[in-house]
Amino acid sequence: MVTAPINTGTMPTIQSRLASVMPWRAIRKHQAAATNARRLVRMDGLPAARVVEAIVGLMPLDDFVPNAAFRMAVTGAPTSVPAVCKEFASILAAAGYKGQVEPIERMAFYERAQQAYGIVATGEPRPWGNLILKKGTIMPAAE
C-alpha cells in the first residue's frame, strides 16, 4: 500500500519525544488514552495502521531483543490474528522489522501499556487495533 506521509504539526512533537527507550503504544479510538497516558499524542480520525506506518518511518524498532512489537491477544481465541494486526505486521516488515508481532494476554497488555513512554490515540474503529512498539537506537546522522 502506498500512502502519502502524515504531515501534521504533531509529527515534529512525536519525533522530538522519541529519544526515550520506553515503548510507544498506538491505540484504537475506544481505549482510555487520556487515563493511561504519561504522554499523549492525539491523531483522531486516522486509522492505526497509517499512524504505525508514520511512527516506524521516524523511529527504528529495537533490534537487540527478539520482538519489539506486541499486540493484544484475542480473548478466547489467543491464536487468532485479526486483520488489523496482520496489517501492522505487514507495515513493520516493510519498514525492515524482522521480529514477530507478539500476542500478549489482554490484561497483561493493559498493564504493559501503562508503562509506555507515550500513547498515540488514533481513530481506529476495529477491535484489537492496539500495538506496543519498543523503540530502538536512533543512530546519529553520518557526517
Side-chain angles (χ1 to χ4, degrees):
M1 163 180 16
V2 176
T3 59
I6 297 172
N7 186 9
T8 70
T10 58
M11 290 314 286
T13 301
I14 292 171
Q15 190 170 18
S16 70
R17 293 183 178 169
L18 291 179
S20 171
V21 296
M22 297 297 286
W24 273 82
R25 177 179 174 215
I27 65 167
R28 64 191 187 92
K29 71 178 184 178
H30 299 294
Q31 297 293 155
T35 303
N36 293 313
R38 290 193 248 170
R39 290 161 191 86
L40 176 63
V41 176
R42 298 210 64 95
M43 299 194 102
D44 301 318
L46 292 173
R50 182 95 186 273
V51 173
V52 169
E53 185 176 28
I55 290 171
V56 298
L58 296 171
M59 178 186 86
L61 297 184
D62 190 343
D63 57 1
F64 291 100
V65 295
N67 294 315
F70 307 89
R71 66 175 178 83
M72 186 185 300
V74 176
T75 304
T79 59
S80 175
V81 182
V84 67
C85 296
K86 291 176 183 175
E87 284 179 48
F88 293 154
S90 294
I91 291 164
L92 296 175
Y97 176 62
K98 307 258 188 278
Q100 300 293 316
V101 179
E102 184 177 325
I104 300 176
E105 184 274 327
R106 183 173 153 246
M107 296 314 291
F109 184 93
Y110 289 140
E111 288 174 20
R112 188 163 186 172
Q114 288 178 340
Q115 302 304 312
Y117 175 81
I119 292 179
V120 179
T122 71
E124 180 60 58
R126 296 173 288 181
W128 317 110
N130 304 304
L131 188 66
I132 296 173
L133 300 173
K134 185 171 185 210
K135 185 192 121 343
T137 303
I138 297 175
M139 301 306 280
E143 293 183 24

